[in-house]
Every structure is written in C-alpha cells, then in structure tokens.
Amino acid sequence: MNVRALLDIDLIALESTEKVTMMLDLTAPITDAAKSRPGQAVEVVLDRSGSMSGSVFDSAKESILKLIDRLAPQDSFGLIAFDNEALIVAPLRTMADHDLPVLRTAIRQMQTGGNTDISAGYTLGLRELSRVATDAGATLLLISDGHANSGEKDPGVLAQIATTHAANKVTTSTIGLGTGYDEKILEALAQGGNGAHRFAYTIDEAIGAIAAEVTDLLEKSVVNAVLRFTPAPALTANPRIEILQRLPHYKEGDTYVVQLGDIYAGENRRFVIDIEVPGMPALGLTTIADITLEYLDVAKMEEISVSMPVQVNVVPDDVAKGRLADPIVRAERLILSAQTEKATAIDELRSGKNREASTRLRTTAEQLRREASEIRVTDDRTAESLQIITSEATEMEALARSAEFDDIEYSSKRLNENFSEKSRARKMRNRDENPKTQDEYLN
C-alpha cells in the first residue's frame, strides 16, 4: 500500500505554540483476479417486514441472486431475513458447499410480513459470521426500509456492537431503502462497523447500491487497517490531539489507536489529525509523533506494519512567517470543517426546519467558493485542492436545493448519506457527484 504522511505546515516558529494538521494519505494496492484471491465472507441481513412487500422486496431478492453469481467457490455466503424475529434463510458456508439450486429457490421463496426488529437480524448475522473463520475478513450487509419497532433501538448500543466486531475484521455496511427507514440506526451501524451507509430512493438505486457494495467486498485489498499515533514526549504532558473523521478510536497509554477499516483495490483514503505543538526550545528537525499503520494485505495474505516519524523543522520566527500551507492538506481540512454544518443541517431537517437547513448549506457552499477563488493554480497540487473544494461546494448547493424543495424524509436521508461518507473519509463508488433532488428522480 502506498502510505504518505503530509503536514499542512512543516516549519514551526521557535518557542511558539502551533497547530499542525497531519494528513495520512493511503492508496490500496490492486489485487489479483478473483480466481486467485483469498475467499471473502458476506452475510446479507435482509428486512422482510410487511413494509418491504412488493417490487422493493422482489428487487432486493434479484440483487442477492446476482450477488451469489459473482461469488467465487472459495467465498462464503449466508442470508438472514428478519421481521419481528430473525431466521436463517441460508447458512453461512462457502459457495462450493452451497447447493446452488436450493439456495436460489430459498431466496426466491422469501415472503414479507411482521414488524421490524433490526437488532435481531443484525446479531444473528454476527453470530453466523463468528462460525466461519476467513483470513480476509468478513462483511455484513444490512438492508432495511423501516424503523425498528421492537428489539434494541438505541443507535449508540448498536454502534458499539458493530465497533467491537470491526476490531475482529467484521465490517458492517447498511443500505436504507425508500424514505421510511431509520437512518440514525443504519448510519450508526455503518459508522461503528467501519462500512458504508447508502440511501437508495428508487428501485434502480437499490439495485445499484447492493451491486456497489458487493464490488467493494470482492475487491478488498486491505483489511482491518489500524493507525497507531503516538505523540512525542514533549506533547504527551498536555496532549491536544483531535481525530477529525468520525472513526472508532481509543487510547492505549499515550497512543491513539484509530480503526480505519477495509479499503478496496485502488481506493484512495485520506485521514486528518490536528496536533497542537507546544513551543519548541531548540532549532532544527524535531519529531512530534510516531505513526504505525497495520493492515492485512489480501493479495499476500500477510500482516503488514509500516512505521514512520512525523517531523517538523523548528525555525526562527521570521522564517516561519514566510511558509506556505500544503494546499491538499488545507483543502481536506476545510472539507472536514464543512461537515459540522451538514450535521447541524441534518438536525434542523429532522426538526422540520428545512429553510434553516437549506440556508446553512448554501452559506457553507458560498464560503467554500470564496476559499476556492483565492487559490492560484500554479501546479498539480493547487489544481487538485481547487477541485476538492469546488466539488464539495457543488454538492452542498445540490443538498441545499433538496433541503428547500424536497420532503424532509427524503432530503434528510440524502444529506445523512453524504455526511456519513465525507465525515469518515470513505470513497463510495457509483454515487452521484451531484446529489439529485426528489423531483429529478420523479421526472
């Protein structure tokens, strides 16, 4: 994997407290063809409550049938269906061990009915995955169109369960169908489980979302990436470290341990950490932290560990005044700051304040465009930073239109999906760069 640690500023003034932003830039390697890759495990947990009846459920079943056609003999597949209780439609086993005609018949014969107990389906799916050991990790894909009306309903509790299993190489991804599902629960499961959360408004979107998640699953080249960030002794007395993405993390002594999750082949992910550096008493190159990235390389089936120091150059104050911030790190930091406005807009939409949410998003887009207007393109890096900021501003404007003109259930879910992706540094394939309004879908 290509790993780089970049700072927005690598010159700091002597004896001056400075805030430095570190960006970890990762690009996953391209894996070999499916026939030679290690087996993957996927457990689909499908809502079969009464609200799923009709074309939505039929499309979900057809997507699952297409999923199993793409799996290799060494891959494991299982299917759980849930309403007010959960049942095993297909036990988790390798495709070589499945009776494919029986499996396809079981999928086609599934029927809907009952209430919605998401926790029952989710925990049974996790239990099934715990039975099958796969060196390349596993993915649980939960698909639902409704609100939990029985079982565990606390998003925080479910997120913690997902986080615990993510540490054991089980990724949780979720797809919400239509505008009636509980995005708080589905997004919490994806966040805790280091997976993606997708909103599928139409049947075509649902089919595309399931296909995209399967593609990510089958093309994983990095599993269970973990970042260990250890501040230098000069910083540990009063550490001011902020992990800006919403990623599961904890501390082991002075070390911050951040779960970055799985990365598909060729995917580029960027993670940002703010570091307050106290006044350094001596000039010269200084290490402010050590980082270690640990992950499973799927192609080699080897646990890899890469370590490197994070260093700054302490210089006289007059030299520091002439420094220029790295444009890419600055742009990524700016985009993450904008996500706080999205989070507030989501709360406003859920409270029925669609105009306030729309105004907030438009104002943030205008601020981003002002930042972009100040960038003078002199090389590839400044050109990329301009593209990053402009793209986010365009998305913000589209989301503002949706907040103003669409019904609140639709616009809040579209905004929540976008926030989930951007605030956790995910790169979701097959996602429209310019989110559609509800009218654009209907027309």
Side-chain angles (χ1 to χ4, degrees):
M1 181 157 62
N2 188 338
V3 182
R4 295 187 301 163
L6 304 172
L7 297 176
D8 63 337
I9 52 172
D10 56 9
L11 300 179
I12 62 173
L14 180 70
E15 297 182 338
S16 295
T17 299
E18 303 262 19
K19 187 170 80 170
V20 174
T21 298
M22 184 198 82
M23 183 182 81
L24 187 67
D25 186 286
L26 309 178
T27 302
I30 304 296
T31 54
D32 295 331
K35 289 184 179 179
S36 60
R37 64 168 171 75
Q40 308 284 339
V42 57
E43 183 78 36
V44 176
V45 178
L46 179 65
D47 187 344
R48 63 160 193 162
S49 60
S51 60
M52 285 282 289
S53 62
S55 58
V56 171
F57 195 63
D58 290 339
S59 297
K61 290 193 290 185
E62 286 302 316
S63 294
I64 294 169
L65 289 168
K66 290 178 181 177
L67 182 163
I68 63 176
D69 287 339
R70 296 183 61 189
L71 297 178
Q74 69 269 27
D75 294 324
S76 297
F77 171 80
L79 175 62
I80 303 293
F82 70 92
D83 48 14
N84 48 285
E85 60 182 10
L87 73 151
I88 298 172
V89 176
L92 184 67
R93 56 174 64 126
T94 65
M95 293 304 297
D97 291 332
H98 271 296
D99 184 325
L100 293 183
V102 172
L103 175 60
R104 291 191 176 96
T105 298
I107 293 170
R108 290 193 176 100
Q109 289 181 346
M110 284 191 296
Q111 301 294 320
T112 58
N115 295 321
T116 306
D117 187 341
I118 291 174
S119 63
Y122 183 60
T123 54
L124 182 56
L126 292 173
R127 197 177 311 144
E128 279 287 281
L129 284 171
S130 69
R131 294 191 304 102
V132 178
T134 56
D135 293 333
T139 297
L140 187 150
L141 177 59
L142 189 144
I143 306 168
S144 177
D145 79 331
H147 279 257
N149 47 32
S150 57
E152 180 59 64
K153 305 172 192 174
D154 186 336
V157 171
L158 293 170
Q160 186 55 53
I161 294 172
T163 298
T164 300
H165 284 81
N168 295 317
K169 300 182 182 178
V170 176
T171 297
T172 298
S173 288
T174 60
I175 299 175
L177 307 178
T179 58
Y181 72 90
D182 190 329
E183 70 262 34
K184 289 184 179 180
I185 286 181
L186 266 60
E187 206 281 325
L189 286 171
Q191 181 192 350
N194 267 327
H197 166 61
R198 295 176 184 266
F199 165 40
Y201 178 58
T202 66
I203 291 175
D204 286 344
E205 264 202 315
I207 294 170
I210 295 171
E213 283 303 310
V214 173
T215 299
D216 288 355
L217 165 70
L218 298 182
E219 294 186 7
K220 282 192 300 186
S221 63
V222 167
V223 169
N224 201 31
V226 173
L227 172 66
R228 297 183 181 276
F229 179 92
T230 306
L235 278 67
T236 54
N238 185 26
R240 295 182 182 275
I241 312 295
E242 185 179 3
I243 297 160
L244 298 181
Q245 273 95 4
R246 296 182 312 123
L247 296 169
H249 63 275
Y250 56 92
K251 288 189 71 175
E252 288 182 349
D254 293 327
T255 298
Y256 294 77
V257 183
V258 187
Q259 294 174 224
L260 306 182
D262 303 339
I263 308 176
Y264 62 74
E267 181 184 8
N268 176 254
R269 301 268 291 277
R270 291 168 172 174
F271 304 93
V272 180
I273 297 176
D274 277 350
I275 310 161
E276 185 174 289
V277 181
M280 292 296 178
L283 297 172
L285 199 62
T286 300
T287 297
I288 59 172
D290 289 293
I291 60 174
T292 298
L293 182 68
E294 302 167 348
Y295 62 94
L296 173 70
D297 185 310
V298 174
K300 300 176 181 177
M301 287 309 295
E302 292 180 5
E303 293 286 348
I304 305 295
S305 179
V306 179
S307 298
M308 64 185 72
V310 180
Q311 296 179 316
V312 295
N313 197 7
V314 183
V315 297
D317 183 65
D318 59 333
V319 176
K321 287 180 179 177
R323 67 196 173 192
L324 295 175
D326 182 281
I328 303 298
V329 179
R330 178 174 172 272
E332 294 288 348
R333 178 67 177 80
L334 186 65
I335 297 310
L336 280 172
S337 297
Q339 304 314 303
T340 60
E341 298 302 320
K342 285 184 188 174
T344 302
I346 290 170
D347 290 338
E348 288 172 337
L349 283 171
R350 289 172 179 166
S351 300
K353 301 176 181 178
N354 61 314
R355 290 193 176 184
E356 289 88 339
S358 179
T359 299
R360 181 178 302 279
L361 294 169
R362 289 186 191 280
T363 300
T364 306
E366 291 168 1
Q367 292 170 346
L368 290 173
R369 290 204 182 276
R370 281 196 294 273
E371 292 280 349
S373 69
E374 297 173 2
I375 296 174
R376 186 165 62 92
V377 176
T378 58
D379 53 24
D380 289 344
R381 294 186 65 74
T382 52
E384 183 181 349
S385 69
L386 178 62
Q387 191 277 328
I388 290 170
I389 297 171
T390 302
S391 176
E392 180 67 12
T394 300
E395 286 192 11
M396 282 274 195
E397 289 161 347
L399 292 166
R401 288 195 300 273
S402 178
E404 183 175 1
F405 298 113
D406 294 331
D407 71 66
I408 287 175
E409 287 292 339
Y410 175 87
S411 57
S412 66
K413 286 174 171 58
R414 187 60 74 199
L415 179 58
N416 189 78
E417 177 195 40
N418 187 276
F419 170 71
S420 178
E421 174 192 1
K422 292 298 184 69
S423 64
R424 294 194 289 119
R426 298 201 64 84
K427 296 289 190 297
M428 298 200 317
R429 291 187 279 196
N430 293 354
R431 186 186 63 78
D432 196 330
E433 288 295 324
N434 190 358
K436 289 183 173 66
T437 65
Q438 196 171 25
D439 283 344
E440 287 172 324
Y441 272 114
L442 295 176
N443 294 331

